[in-house]
Amino acid sequence: MRGGVLPQLRRAIAWMRQARGTDEFGLMPPAWPYDAEMIQGRYTSHNLWSLLGLRAAIQLARGLGETQDATAWQQLHDDYFASFMKALKASAGEGGYVPTGLYAFTTGAKARGGFTEYQTDQDWENMLLLYPTELLDRSDKRVSATLEAIRRDRYREGIMTLPQRHAPSP
């Protein structure tokens, strides 16, 4: 474990630290439109997955007795988590829907030519707020607001379906 995975994990976390350092908000930097979200900006999901990976790395380091790594990574996590929560508050308020992007982001043809608005900005991993990341308490109003929006828009297995009035009969 120490010879193969740990050095790679250290490099990955060093990259994460560097990438966050290039972003004015201390998040994963803006990305181009791809995958389900298809937005131009800071993906909520990139930050959720990064925080989840960092938490797993901290647990692994503790389990291996690598206290120096665990301590440094915990400090990185705490700073990153504070930046994420600030971005979440700016983007979703105290109780609103958590969008696919944090701070300012663009969707539709402005984000990626040839795509109209309904083909972009689709919820995907912004539902990681509770599981497996457990970033927010399940009673947090942003969680229920996000789940309500996803249910309202009939989200199914990675495909945002059309509203009921436009959906074909099953």
Side-chain angles (χ1 to χ4, degrees):
M1 175 82 63
R2 284 184 172 87
V5 173
L6 200 54
Q8 293 177 28
L9 194 53
R10 287 178 178 135
R11 284 193 300 274
I13 293 173
W15 175 87
M16 181 186 298
R17 185 183 308 276
Q18 178 275 326
R20 286 188 61 240
T22 66
D23 184 68
E24 65 182 296
F25 299 106
L27 301 171
M28 287 294 107
W32 61 93
Y34 66 99
D35 205 5
E37 294 96 332
M38 201 80 74
I39 64 169
Q40 180 77 41
R42 289 172 190 81
Y43 281 59
T44 302
S45 62
H46 293 178
N47 291 282
L48 293 171
W49 281 115
S50 294
L51 283 164
L52 174 62
L54 192 50
R55 288 177 179 191
I58 293 164
Q59 290 176 357
L60 179 66
R62 286 181 182 147
L64 292 173
E66 299 289 339
T67 54
Q68 190 173 6
D69 284 333
T71 300
W73 296 348
Q74 185 66 55
Q75 290 171 347
L76 173 62
H77 170 274
D78 295 347
D79 182 59
Y80 189 178
F81 186 71
S83 296
F84 176 77
M85 292 304 291
K86 184 176 178 182
L88 196 60
K89 185 175 182 179
S91 303
E94 293 289 343
Y97 158 78
V98 175
T100 56
L102 298 169
Y103 295 111
F105 62 95
T106 57
T107 64
K110 290 182 285 185
R112 184 164 177 172
F115 284 79
T116 57
E117 197 67 34
Y118 77 91
Q119 293 173 303
T120 65
D121 196 23
Q122 296 181 18
D123 296 291
W124 184 250
E125 289 143 341
N126 57 344
M127 293 182 289
L128 293 172
L129 298 166
L130 281 179
Y131 177 84
T133 61
E134 300 175 0
L135 284 173
L136 299 178
D137 187 88
R138 64 180 170 203
S139 64
D140 190 300
K141 290 182 171 116
R142 291 172 289 209
V143 171
S144 55
T146 302
L147 291 174
E148 286 168 17
I150 288 166
R151 288 178 182 139
R152 180 193 64 232
D153 293 338
R154 301 182 66 232
Y155 181 85
R156 301 287 186 274
E157 293 296 323
I159 300 171
M160 184 68 82
T161 58
L162 297 170
Q164 184 65 35
R165 66 183 181 281
H166 297 294
S169 299

